[in-house]
Amino acid sequence: MAAYLFRRLLLVIPTLFGIIAINFAVIQFAPGGPVDQMIAEMRGHGDMSSRLTGASSDLGGAGTYRGSRGLDPHMIADLKKMFGFDKPPLTRFVEMVGGYLRFDFGRSFFRDQSVLHLVAQRLAVSVSLGLWSTLLIYMISIPLGIAKAVRDGSRFDLASSAVVLVGYAIPSFLFAILLVVLFAGGSFLHWFPLRGLTSEGASSWSWGARVADYAWHMVLPTIAVVASGFASLTMLTKNCFLEEIRKQYTVTARAKGASEPRVLYGHVFRNAMLLIVAGFPQAFIGILFTSQLLVEIVFSLDGLGLLGFQAAIQRDYPVMFGTLYIFTLLGLLLQIVGDTLYTLVDPRIDFEARR
């Protein structure tokens, strides 16, 4: 197992390099870079990201945005030098990768802060929302999936399937908007705050009051992520248990006089939970990368999702590539953790024996 993990860790390096290289190459053809944004600001047009149809990107080095016509060419050259676009793309890519190897992600073009500092400020918010949401999804889905498997075809199974269908059908951001309208002062009740994770002046409160305030702010965002994430895991749990319940060893255990709880939790549970428990890291990464992005935007949570979204709108490339690098590295490492969990849940699994 140690040799397998060592090979997986070595594989992280070329995988990271490939993902960063592909995205860097794609961004060369994206219209409207930081220089274009600065030109738009100088001309008083504000954010030009929605106006750059058919324009050439300043990253390519050859094309220039049509909004730069009439401006001093020396000023355009100074802007490109300020953002580092006076160098060839290959040179910039090599410098960027060299910095990433030292965990130096550069500085944001528009925030005057290092990318690492921006990520560190917001990482706790995203991880907190992702972790609580994932834990609640597992705490709801596993018991519900087991109950559906045991009562397969019953009224409970049909009724709970309707709830699961709603979870499948409603995207997390739409459910988040519904929660805002119902419970955050939209049109009905104002039980929960609309923005952020802390109330104004909370830093001077006692430790217990700050924890309660944090939990109060986390209720609606967590519910929005959980409501759209529990459906697939519930059905996976049900199907895994149904498959194991119908196998020969469960029939043998019942024939030997084992009680139903003993059969279910002493024999079936371990085999059925293999994919579910070992998939926890991947589920966490999936929620962190996709499900909570729009939820962070709806509730104005200052997390990595909102940071990456704003960086994409502003064409803040150091922040875009820095968050991509961190997300990718975290995802690859958690995939290795998932493989390790497989062997902990079922020691019979030996990755070294695979060919």
Side-chain angles (χ1 to χ4, degrees):
M1 185 64 184
Y4 170 78
L5 292 178
F6 180 71
R7 290 197 301 269
R8 286 294 304 271
L9 288 173
L10 288 180
L11 189 60
V12 167
I13 298 174
T15 304
L16 267 176
F17 178 83
I19 291 174
I20 295 297
I22 291 172
N23 283 273
F24 186 87
V26 169
I27 210 68
Q28 306 308 305
F29 304 98
V35 174
D36 295 333
Q37 296 279 346
M38 188 63 68
I39 292 173
E41 297 256 344
M42 294 168 60
R43 288 182 172 273
H45 296 306
D47 185 2
M48 295 292 292
S49 58
S50 62
R51 304 171 185 251
L52 301 174
T53 55
S56 299
S57 171
D58 57 48
L59 287 176
T64 54
Y65 170 54
R66 63 189 178 192
S68 63
R69 296 173 184 173
L71 294 181
D72 186 353
H74 295 289
M75 182 181 297
I76 305 299
D78 290 340
L79 287 176
K80 289 189 175 184
K81 185 175 182 180
M82 180 176 68
F83 289 116
F85 297 138
D86 57 326
K87 302 175 184 177
L90 182 59
T91 302
R92 288 186 280 113
F93 177 73
V94 172
E95 291 179 352
M96 183 181 72
V97 172
Y100 285 3
L101 294 176
R102 305 187 305 271
F103 273 84
D104 179 10
F105 302 105
R107 299 183 66 83
S108 168
F109 286 156
F110 303 105
R111 298 172 185 263
D112 195 27
Q113 297 183 58
S114 70
V115 175
L116 195 59
H117 178 69
L118 290 170
V119 171
Q121 282 182 327
R122 291 157 175 80
L123 184 62
V125 176
S126 293
V127 171
S128 176
L129 178 57
L131 184 61
W132 289 122
S133 301
T134 307
L135 288 175
L136 282 175
I137 287 173
Y138 269 72
M139 291 173 63
I140 294 171
S141 300
I142 292 176
L144 180 59
I146 295 174
K148 286 174 65 63
V150 173
R151 300 170 177 84
D152 184 40
S154 65
R155 291 182 178 179
F156 171 81
D157 183 36
L158 296 176
S160 58
S161 294
V163 177
V164 170
L165 181 62
V166 172
Y168 269 124
I170 302 180
S172 57
F173 75 95
L174 284 182
F175 194 73
I177 294 174
L178 176 64
L179 292 176
V180 168
V181 172
L182 294 179
F183 302 111
S187 301
F188 297 91
L189 305 173
H190 196 176
W191 289 352
F192 297 97
L194 177 60
R195 299 175 179 274
L197 286 181
T198 56
S199 299
E200 185 177 354
S203 58
S204 60
W205 298 355
S206 65
W207 181 82
R210 291 200 302 271
V211 171
D213 180 64
Y214 164 79
W216 184 44
H217 282 77
M218 283 289 292
V219 170
L220 293 187
T222 304
I223 291 176
V225 177
V226 170
S228 63
F230 84 99
S232 58
L233 184 59
T234 299
M235 297 309 298
L236 175 63
T237 304
K238 176 188 175 180
N239 293 333
C240 287
F241 269 80
L242 279 178
E243 182 180 358
E244 295 297 325
I245 287 173
R246 293 165 180 169
K247 287 185 176 180
Q248 185 62 41
Y249 73 89
T250 59
V251 177
T252 304
R254 291 192 181 100
K256 289 182 177 180
S259 63
E260 194 62 25
R262 173 65 180 171
V263 172
L264 188 61
Y265 296 102
H267 298 278
V268 173
F269 187 82
R270 180 177 179 178
N271 295 326
M273 291 298 293
L274 177 61
L275 290 175
I276 299 167
V277 173
F280 180 86
Q282 286 84 353
F284 174 69
I285 285 296
I287 291 175
L288 192 65
F289 286 177
T290 56
S291 300
Q292 70 181 48
L293 168 60
L294 295 176
V295 172
E296 285 186 9
I297 296 173
V298 171
F299 290 100
S300 299
L301 301 179
D302 207 6
L304 288 179
L306 185 58
L307 176 66
F309 174 77
Q310 293 172 342
I313 294 297
Q314 297 173 341
R315 303 299 196 269
D316 196 345
Y317 294 128
V319 177
M320 286 174 58
F321 283 109
T323 53
L324 173 66
Y325 179 88
I326 292 173
F327 273 149
T328 305
L329 179 60
L330 186 61
L332 292 173
L333 292 178
L334 283 180
Q335 285 181 357
I336 297 175
V337 173
D339 287 347
T340 306
L341 285 177
Y342 274 113
T343 61
L344 294 178
V345 174
D346 191 348
R348 295 172 298 176
I349 295 178
D350 184 8
F351 289 103
E352 291 295 336
R354 296 192 306 175
R355 292 292 184 266

